[in-house]
Amino acid sequence: MANPTYQLLEFDDLDGWADDDHQAAFDVFLSTCGDMRDPAWEAICSVAKQGQEARGFFERFFTPVQIDDGQDALFTGYYEPELRGSLNRGGPYQYPLYRLPPNPGQLSRREIEETNAFDGRGLEIAWIDDPVDVFFLQVQGSGRVKLDNGGGIRVGYGGANGREYSSIGLELVRRGVYDAHQVSADVIRNWVRNNGEEGLQLLWTNESYVFFREVNEVPADMGPLGAMNRSVTPMRTVAIDPAFIPYGAPVWMEKQGANPLNRLMVAQDTGSAIRGAQRADIFFGTGDIAGRDAGRIKDGGRLVVLMPIQSAYALLPDIIE
């Protein structure tokens, strides 16, 4: 990636800015701004907590900054899956969700699954009835498990094996199975399930393997925990690359595609596939419908960060006016 460049914008430059629900974004911003430790952000959060008219607050205390690193913008979606499972292995429940081992090493996904590398170590949180669901839970990073006894548990990201993430959708394109525009989460799921052993081996081409932890502190009516260890909000939380955008920052999204979306979001999460200044992942919510909607998103557009005025001007001389 090229060194980032910064372009200072006006709020009038943001397409659809005046039409957004700024109060909804303001409420989400308040939920995590208290965790930001930069003095400029702390001062703004203190003002926000006193109660503000939302649109005026953002326009008064922030400057829109577009950050570019030479890569095209790419917006995708993620969600919180719901899986079927059991606390005990048996019947259809044969595929484990593991806690992070004390010494996980860097075994690949194939080495872990083919050799049952962690069996017998008491690391299983739950047993799931579908290996494809386990894989997609690892991609999403958190989810809920409906247990066969009528209860349920929530799991969140607990660590990884240190191997690089790679897209199995891109692997299907590389093999000539699909064109790039045909690939979605549902298409991938169906191909894996319809191709038996070859389908499961496709999953092994992504060597990254994710471990989980139980999340008991989040009420059922709230979203899963993001990278800031706070609940994320459907259609207002966005996952970003923290190398370019600080956690907790408001970000203006102009997503193109079949269903354009111009909206003020808050950068409260990240993911192993989220790399670059113009790369973002929209949180769609919990369950199958959210999953289908999230899986259809693969669009270009523009991402603009709202930065404290003094922080924006501190980027000079790198800013393009």
Side-chain angles (χ1 to χ4, degrees):
M1 295 181 183
N3 290 331
T5 60
Y6 305 89
Q7 183 177 4
L8 201 65
L9 303 175
E10 302 289 341
F11 283 96
D12 287 345
D13 298 324
L14 307 183
D15 188 15
W17 170 258
D19 300 322
D20 193 26
D21 183 351
H22 301 90
Q23 184 63 49
F26 181 83
D27 292 342
V28 175
F29 173 73
L30 271 179
S31 71
T32 49
C33 73
D35 298 323
M36 303 175 79
R37 292 294 172 256
D38 181 278
W41 289 100
E42 289 179 335
I44 285 178
C45 187
S46 178
V47 171
K49 289 179 178 179
Q50 297 172 20
Q52 301 288 322
E53 186 276 317
R55 179 179 172 182
F57 166 77
F58 289 117
E59 293 179 352
R60 188 161 55 252
F61 292 103
F62 292 92
T63 295
V65 179
Q66 182 172 332
I67 306 173
D68 289 296
D69 60 356
Q71 305 294 313
D72 291 337
L74 175 61
F75 299 138
T76 51
Y78 74 111
Y79 71 108
E80 182 185 35
E82 289 184 314
L83 290 74
R84 296 177 299 274
S86 175
L87 297 179
N88 301 295
R89 187 176 193 175
Y93 306 111
Q94 297 293 326
Y95 307 98
L97 302 182
Y98 287 124
R99 297 179 181 86
L100 180 67
N103 297 296
Q106 286 197 325
L107 296 175
S108 69
R109 174 180 298 278
R110 178 170 190 160
E111 290 167 335
I112 291 171
E113 295 182 348
E114 196 171 35
T115 67
N116 299 313
F118 299 120
D119 276 10
R121 296 174 58 178
L123 297 171
E124 297 87 357
I125 296 174
W127 298 88
I128 307 302
D129 65 350
D130 187 337
V132 182
D133 284 347
V134 171
F135 178 87
F136 276 93
L137 177 66
Q138 293 188 340
V139 173
Q140 300 302 319
S142 63
R144 306 186 193 209
V145 180
K146 292 183 177 180
L147 298 173
D148 58 341
N149 64 7
I153 57 174
R154 209 168 194 167
V155 295
Y157 179 86
N161 61 340
R163 296 290 188 108
E164 284 293 318
Y165 172 89
S166 60
S167 166
I168 59 173
L170 291 180
E171 177 64 17
L172 286 173
V173 173
R174 188 191 69 79
R175 295 181 184 183
V177 178
Y178 296 109
D179 293 330
H181 72 275
Q182 297 174 305
V183 175
S184 68
D186 283 343
V187 166
I188 295 170
R189 285 177 184 273
N190 291 334
W191 193 92
V192 172
R193 286 170 173 155
N194 292 336
N195 285 273
E197 190 63 27
E198 185 183 3
L200 293 178
Q201 289 180 9
L202 172 71
L203 303 182
W204 289 344
T205 64
N206 175 21
E207 296 191 350
S208 175
Y209 191 93
V210 169
F211 303 97
F212 295 95
R213 62 185 179 89
E214 287 192 60
V215 179
N216 299 313
E217 65 270 29
V218 181
D221 62 341
M222 296 183 68
L225 298 181
M228 300 186 74
N229 206 34
R230 303 288 182 182
S231 287
V232 295
T233 302
M235 304 309 295
R236 287 290 173 179
T237 288
V238 66
I240 48 77
D241 185 345
F244 297 93
I245 300 172
Y247 287 132
V251 290
W252 177 254
M253 173 178 289
E254 295 176 7
K255 187 188 77 66
Q256 300 167 348
N259 297 293
L261 181 68
N262 294 355
R263 180 168 293 185
L264 186 58
M265 318 283 275
V266 182
Q268 296 174 317
D269 210 353
T270 192
S272 57
I274 311 303
R275 295 291 179 266
Q278 289 289 314
R279 181 73 175 91
D281 212 14
I282 306 163
F283 178 62
F284 272 76
T286 298
D288 291 343
I289 294 176
R292 285 194 295 271
D293 290 342
R296 297 189 182 107
I297 303 301
K298 191 176 182 181
D299 299 317
R302 179 173 74 159
L303 198 67
V304 177
V305 187
L306 302 194
M307 300 186 65
I309 295 171
Q310 61 269 43
S311 299
Y313 278 93
L315 295 170
L316 291 169
D318 298 318
I319 284 179
I320 303 171
E321 301 240 24

